[in-house]
Amino acid sequence: MAETHSAFIGLMQRARNVKRWPLMAQFQEEMLSTHIYEASFVAHMLGAIACDVFNEDINPDRVAAMAIFHEGSEIAGMSDIPSPVKYHDPETTTAIKKLERRFELMLIKTLPEELQARYIPLIEQNKDDDHVTLAKAADVLCAYLKCDYELSKSNSEFSNAMREMEVQLKRYREKLPAVDYFCQVFLEDAKGTLDEQTKSLEWIERANTLHLTSDDA
């Protein structure tokens, strides 16, 4: 029985209030909660590819867990700091990284003591862990798809961001076979319309047949 109250779940829920790409005019605003959801299932897929296709010692569930908590500092109060600000110069980057660690620690401290050890590696992530690397690749893939979506709506605000994401994604494809596989198999269809994404589903043929033969059509 817990002896104290914990704000951890309440803070995690605040991801729905944090706006991504805050300096950018967006066709469709993206909240942090949406990004975390998308990054998590992409991360799980990358983990599954690494494990099942390339026989790597990877647990897809752990990759997904890393993606769930990869924005812990933003959830705890930092919000989304744009990359041009975050990486403006080495001093700024160091200062922001230090702040991120503080907010991550603050988030961990809201947990009951008996649960902290489990969540520390998920929130204070080890960059040398292959699961973390795959989760970061998922983060980049989702950012790439966001840029592509905005550009498809003629939003040139995302032109520079797309060039940055293309560079990052190229590096991950060269480094990680799972990312390259994902891009070959899933990336183009991820950009498509609903009609394009469901064109091969059998239900469409059945529905069309029913409508053409039914008296109620």
Side-chain angles (χ1 to χ4, degrees), residues 18-49:
V18 179
K19 181 180 176 182
R20 298 255 302 164
W21 314 90
L23 297 182
M24 313 279 274
Q26 302 181 54
F27 179 82
Q28 181 176 333
E29 286 193 352
E30 182 179 81
M31 308 309 290
L32 185 59
S33 54
T34 300
H35 169 68
I36 290 173
Y37 165 69
E38 293 178 354
S40 298
F41 67 70
V42 171
H44 194 279
M45 179 59 71
L46 290 178
I49 294 168

Side-chain angles (χ1 to χ4, degrees), residues 39-202:
S40 298
F41 67 70
V42 171
H44 194 279
M45 179 59 71
L46 290 178
I49 294 168
C51 180
D52 300 338
V53 178
F54 296 103
N55 298 313
E56 298 177 25
D57 185 19
I58 293 292
N59 182 340
D61 294 346
R62 186 164 180 80
V63 182
M66 292 298 181
I68 290 171
F69 294 100
H70 81 286
E71 302 288 16
S73 62
E74 293 187 17
I75 290 169
M78 279 197 71
S79 295
D80 185 28
I81 298 178
S83 292
V85 176
K86 189 174 184 178
Y87 300 105
H88 181 266
D89 56 61
E91 291 78 13
T92 300
T93 302
T94 299
I96 291 175
K97 291 290 185 181
K98 187 175 181 179
L99 276 174
E100 287 178 345
R101 301 291 83 78
R102 287 184 179 178
F103 277 97
E104 288 169 354
L105 179 59
M106 185 182 79
L107 183 62
I108 291 167
K109 290 297 185 182
T110 66
L111 283 163
E113 287 187 12
E114 56 269 31
L115 293 175
Q116 289 182 15
R118 179 178 295 278
Y119 285 92
I120 285 173
L122 298 178
I123 297 171
E124 293 183 338
Q125 299 185 356
N126 177 5
K127 306 305 181 186
D128 295 326
D129 185 340
D130 291 340
H131 297 82
V132 174
T133 303
L134 285 168
K136 178 58 181 175
D139 183 43
V140 170
L141 277 163
C142 292
Y144 171 90
L145 288 169
K146 167 64 174 177
C147 292
D148 182 82
Y149 175 80
E150 291 290 332
L151 289 172
S152 74
K153 304 302 181 184
S154 302
N155 184 0
S156 60
E157 281 269 320
F158 281 77
S159 298
N160 288 337
M162 174 57 103
R163 285 192 285 272
E164 178 186 338
M165 291 303 107
E166 287 174 338
V167 170
Q168 292 192 42
L169 185 55
K170 181 175 183 292
R171 291 173 180 167
Y172 276 109
R173 293 187 71 170
E174 292 171 348
K175 179 181 179 181
L176 301 173
V179 176
D180 188 56
Y181 180 103
F182 180 98
C183 290
Q184 291 183 50
V185 175
F186 296 106
L187 196 58
E188 285 307 310
D189 282 349
K191 303 176 184 178
T193 65
L194 178 61
D195 287 341
E196 292 169 339
Q197 292 166 347
T198 59
K199 65 184 178 183
S200 63
L201 299 183
E202 294 180 0

